[in-house]
Every structure is written in structure tokens, then in C-alpha cells.
Amino acid sequence: MAIPSFRLALFLRSAQATSFRNLKTLKSFYSTSPHLSQDMAVKFVPRPSTERGNADHGWLKSFHTFSFADYQDSQHDQFGSLRVINEDRVEPKTGFGTHGHREFEIFSYVVNGELEHKDSMGNTEVLKRGDVQLTSAGTGIRHSEKTYGSNQVHFLQIWTVPWKNGLTPKYFTRKYSHFSDEEKTDKWVRVVAPVSAPGVADEREGAGPAPVQSPVSLYATMLSPAASLPHTFPATLSADSASPSTARKAYIHVVQTSGYNTKMSSGASVKVTGDDAVLELKEGDGAYIFGEAGKELKVENTGDRVAEVLLFDVE
């Protein structure tokens, strides 16, 4: 069993003190204009898969959107409260041994295979495709994540920075309510949302989105060839959003469903449009998106296969 030492000592620095330093011109424009005009343009900044951090440990193959473990890039540290988007593939009979976390909201989105979760709160669970689980680490938890069964598990682990420190640790699962491929076909399904948002249940096994203590909503879709979906930047994400600014941020990621590929993006492809901005993305690619409440994005499948797409609304 390979136990990743890099995860055990991960993020000793404070994520709250880490600012997202990429895209300085755009960031300055959006952060210094609290009352933006209605004709403010939507802006895209691509994050190609080939430029993500990458690690192949044999038992683990992983891509890192943001600085993580041995991959450090000061231009890709954080985006709003989004701190980690790791796309992991873990071989059978291996996994991440017991290690600790605190002051992060940690959730797993299973793409293929089965993932076994155990933690210091007494939770033991096996997650399959369509399942989502979320750990609010708060003052501190310990957990392990290992492949269950004889097949590789492919999942995305996502971390956000909570609204405040010192929260009581909690565990949430959406295993029993599940988010099926049929439910996500050509529709945005909100799988994670702020705990105080309308329709979000603060229950371990409640229905609907998993509740996160951060101003982040995550939508997922299985987009058919030639299909398209609109998405409107929300006015606010939750009652905890106190800023009067109408500026909004989003992040889009095309899941690498066709296989692990470090050399070039392949597989499914989508086109993202907003105002006059147009961006083509392949599997593994992502993009930082800047816009305004009420503005609309459109995501269109331009390829010959289903595209699994994740879209984050960020504060």
C-alpha cells in the first residue's frame, strides 16, 4: 500500500492568507469596480490541461488545477474560495492513508470506480459514480480515501476555504439521493451549494446539493453532442454574501473521461460563449471566467461524444 507522504504534511501555510495572483489585469479591473455597468463584458482565461500540475506515482495519477503538494505555481494558487481541484486516478488496493485536515471544505465527485472513505468521526462509506460526499473539516478531522474493489477509481477532489475558522467538523453524503447520468443529461444539476442557500439541507444524508460552508455552487452536466446549456451568473450565492459588488466569477472544467493523457487534450470538446468571448475546451481543460450578475454563459458540445462538464459559481 502506497501512502502519500506529501498529503500528510499538505498546506501547512494558511490558505486564507493566499491570494489568487494570476490574471492581475482582470482581477484589478473586477475588484476595483464595485458597481459595474450593465455592458461589462464576460472574460475567459483558459487553463489548458497540458499546463496543469501533473504527478504520476504509479499507484496514483493526478492533475492539479491549483498549487498542490510538489506542484507550486504562484499564478495558480486559488480562485476566490476555490483552493483545490485535483483530478485523481487511484489504482486498486491503494489509496491515501489516514491523514489530517482542518479549516477546509473537502468534497469528492466520483467519475468511475468506487472510493472508500473512512474518517475520525466514525463515517465509513463506499462511493460510486453519481455520488458526492463532503467533509467540513473545521477544527480538524482525519480520514483515508482508498480504491474499493478491483477497478481503478477516477474522481475529482475539490477543496474550498470556509467562511470562517473554527467550525465543528461535519460529514455529508449524497450517496442515497444520488446524481444520476440521466438526471444530468443536457441539464445543469447543482450538486454542491452554500449551506444557507434556498433548498439546501444541512443533513448528513439529505436530498439535493451537498451543503458547503463557502460561497461556491457546483453544477454538473452530461452534455450530448450538439446540445447546449445556458447559465446565468447569480446575483448572490447565499445570505452570507455581504459584498455589494455585482462582479461574479466562475470556473469551468471538462472532465477527462476518455483516459489519462498528459500530452494533449483529446476526447470530448465544448465551446463556451459569453457576450463576444468564445473559448474552445477539450477534456481536462478549464477556464477562469469573469462576469457580472445577470450575464449569461452558453456551453455547447461541439464534439462527437458526451462531455461531462463541471461549472463552479464562485463569490
Side-chain angles (χ1 to χ4, degrees):
M1 172 69 66
I3 303 299
S5 59
F6 61 82
R7 278 224 174 172
L8 304 182
L10 207 53
F11 298 135
L12 297 179
R13 57 190 173 138
S14 168
Q16 288 83 348
T18 304
S19 62
F20 179 72
R21 293 183 290 273
N22 192 32
L23 324 173
K24 291 182 180 179
T25 302
L26 284 175
K27 182 184 176 186
S28 174
F29 173 74
Y30 283 92
S31 63
T32 57
S33 305
H35 301 289
L36 296 163
S37 65
Q38 292 300 309
D39 60 356
M40 184 186 73
V42 174
K43 301 290 185 182
F44 301 141
V45 181
R47 181 71 165 122
S49 181
T50 52
E51 296 180 7
R52 289 189 291 172
N54 173 252
D56 183 349
H57 299 282
W59 66 274
L60 166 68
K61 295 178 175 63
S62 183
F63 282 98
H64 312 312
T65 295
F66 302 110
S67 294
F68 192 89
D70 293 333
Y71 170 67
Q72 296 295 315
D73 184 338
S74 62
Q75 296 190 47
H76 299 281
D77 275 342
Q78 185 171 341
F79 190 52
S81 60
L82 270 178
R83 182 59 188 86
V84 169
I85 304 176
N86 286 351
E87 190 162 0
D88 291 341
R89 287 173 170 84
V90 183
E91 295 302 313
K93 300 181 180 179
T94 66
F96 303 105
T98 302
H99 57 284
H101 295 287
R102 60 185 302 158
E103 309 304 354
F104 280 108
E105 304 288 289
I106 302 169
F107 45 103
S108 297
Y109 178 95
V110 179
V111 180
N112 276 313
E114 296 179 295
L115 179 69
E116 181 184 62
H117 168 96
K118 293 183 179 180
D119 64 41
S120 55
M121 294 179 283
N123 298 294
T124 298
E125 191 160 31
V126 175
L127 304 165
K128 301 179 181 180
R129 176 164 179 79
D131 297 338
V132 173
Q133 59 99 279
L134 189 150
T135 300
S136 182
T139 54
I141 59 98
R142 293 181 64 78
H143 74 173
S144 64
E145 298 157 301
K146 299 178 182 179
T147 300
Y148 184 86
S150 58
N151 297 318
Q152 180 193 78
V153 63
H154 174 197
F155 71 107
L156 280 86
Q157 185 165 112
I158 300 152
W159 300 10
T160 68
V161 179
W163 281 306
K164 61 181 180 180
N165 291 343
L167 295 169
T168 300
K170 289 186 177 181
Y171 179 82
F172 302 94
T173 180
R174 293 303 180 260
K175 175 181 173 65
Y176 301 102
S177 57
H178 198 68
F179 300 104
S180 68
D181 285 0
E182 181 180 9
E183 183 182 359
K184 290 183 285 190
T185 296
D186 300 332
K187 297 184 289 291
W188 291 119
V189 175
R190 189 171 61 161
V191 299
V192 175
V195 66
S196 55
V200 178
D202 187 15
E203 301 171 6
R204 184 190 186 282
E205 298 174 4
V212 67
Q213 297 277 354
S214 302
V216 172
S217 286
L218 170 58
Y219 297 85
T221 186
M222 303 291 294
L223 197 59
S224 304
S228 64
L229 278 177
H231 177 76
T232 302
F233 284 102
T236 58
L237 293 180
S238 75
D240 298 85
S241 298
S243 171
S245 173
T246 60
R248 293 289 173 262
K249 292 183 290 210
Y251 189 86
I252 191 168
H253 177 77
V254 183
V255 179
Q256 203 179 52
T257 55
S258 64
Y260 177 77
N261 188 346
T262 62
K263 295 182 179 180
M264 62 188 306
S265 298
S266 61
S269 58
V270 302
K271 179 172 68 174
V272 189
T273 58
D275 290 337
D276 295 328
V278 179
L279 183 63
E280 298 280 351
L281 301 175
K282 300 284 281 184
E283 286 186 10
D285 292 343
Y288 303 103
I289 305 173
F290 297 83
E292 182 184 17
K295 290 281 188 178
E296 186 176 276
L297 301 172
K298 184 173 76 170
V299 182
E300 178 184 0
N301 187 333
T302 56
D304 60 358
R305 66 194 72 185
V306 172
E308 186 162 7
V309 182
L310 302 182
L311 179 64
F312 299 83
D313 270 325
V314 187
E315 81 272 16

